[in-house]
Amino acid sequence: MKPGRVYLDNNATTPVDPRVLEEMLPFFNERFGNAASRNHAFGWEADEAVQHAREQVAELIGASPKEIIFTSGATEANNLAIKGIVDLSGEESKHVISCQTEHKAVLDPLHQLEIAGVQVTYLPVDQDGLIDLAELEKKITNQTVLISLMYANNETGVIQPIKEIAALANKYNVPFMSDATQAVGKIPLDVDELGIDLMSFSAHKMYGPKGVGALFVKKGVKISSQIDGGGHERGMRSGTLNVPGIVGFGKACELCQQQMSDDEKRLKKLRDQLEQQLLQLSGTHGNGHNEQRLSHVSNLSFEGLDGEKLLLSLNEIAVSQGSACTSATVEPSHVLRGMGVSDELAFASLRFGLGRFTTKEEIDFAIEKIRSSVIELRT
Ligand code: PMP
């Protein structure tokens, strides 16, 4: 049977796993207590559920539950980490190192800091999307108060050399923060082993609900709160906790831990099939390092095509042109630009993000549909 609609935009968001939804449902009505209510069983029950979720989230990344701060998502977690570290750093003139191909949820808070007088270095990347470690080391100064580099890129899936970056940050005693929104739950990672100080991630990229995420803050690392009022999350993020969301996030982490390796193997096969077949079309190029990238992501440029027209002709297939979060603007992707891809080719690029519920039939269908659209638009 031909699939009706095919969703290949799992980097933008993932569907909620039915097992996650089931776990969340009682917390909307039956067990609706406020986790901060200390005087009755409704509150205790909610608090217990939050603590259990905190353990599930911590376990997935090798952290301790006390090192997890729940937020509304990765955007908020990035803001909290970046502004929170810079606020508390004692240096008079402050310097941060990041990268040109970061997500807007890192770039925009950094731009705000620049307006406030902080100096920011945006490292370039090579044509594979990777930073140069020697270049990073050269940029560290006595004023550097933070290094913020993403784990895996949302447009290309390219994975930065996180362990090496953390080792350099450690050598110069600079806190290292990583936006790991696309990596957590997809590849095994352990914050302790890697030497990461702060790490952000989000439930809706890993089959959990939207509107909930977390910041890992290593024990001993100090940040200033960005939202005050009530002292929740040990004073670092006030506001009544989103209990159903947090419960779902916990379950999503548990499921990822159990099946991440099987998902990864299966999706790599499907992604490779999609990519190999489409690369056979003349003038088609893959963007991003071939090995150092997530197994479920592919970013392809189709020479001579207008990406928007291609997207329109693929109306049964949900993919994105560049990153969904910048879709309000019609700029070519800053990530592809940063990798030296021409504007013309960047506009002619599609991002495919496969997910846990992607089937072989859907990939077969997508290949046929894209192939015929590309051929038709070129004639
Ligand atoms: N960082 C990266 C790398 C992302 O891909 C995203 C989501 N597009 C975010 C941050 C923002 O996450 P959220 O939607 O949870 O705010």
Side-chain angles (χ1 to χ4, degrees), residues 11-12 72-76 78 103 105 150 152-154 179 181-182 201-205 212 323 325:
N11 287 22
S72 63
T75 301
E76 188 193 328
N78 285 341
H103 192 275
M150 76 198 313
N153 189 275
N154 47 300
D179 174 349
T181 309
Q182 296 290 345
F201 50 113
S202 189
H204 77 98
K205 308 284 186 183
V212 59
S323 132
C325 307

Side-chain angles (χ1 to χ4, degrees), residues 68-78 80 200-202 211-216 227 233 236-237 241-242 246 249:
I68 301 297
I69 301 173
F70 286 119
T71 65
S72 63
T75 301
E76 188 193 328
N78 285 341
L80 175 57
S200 59
F201 50 113
S202 189
V212 59
L215 179 66
F216 155 76
I227 301 180
E233 296 299 88
M236 291 207 261
R237 198 277 189 179
L241 292 178
N242 169 5
I246 289 169
F249 190 14

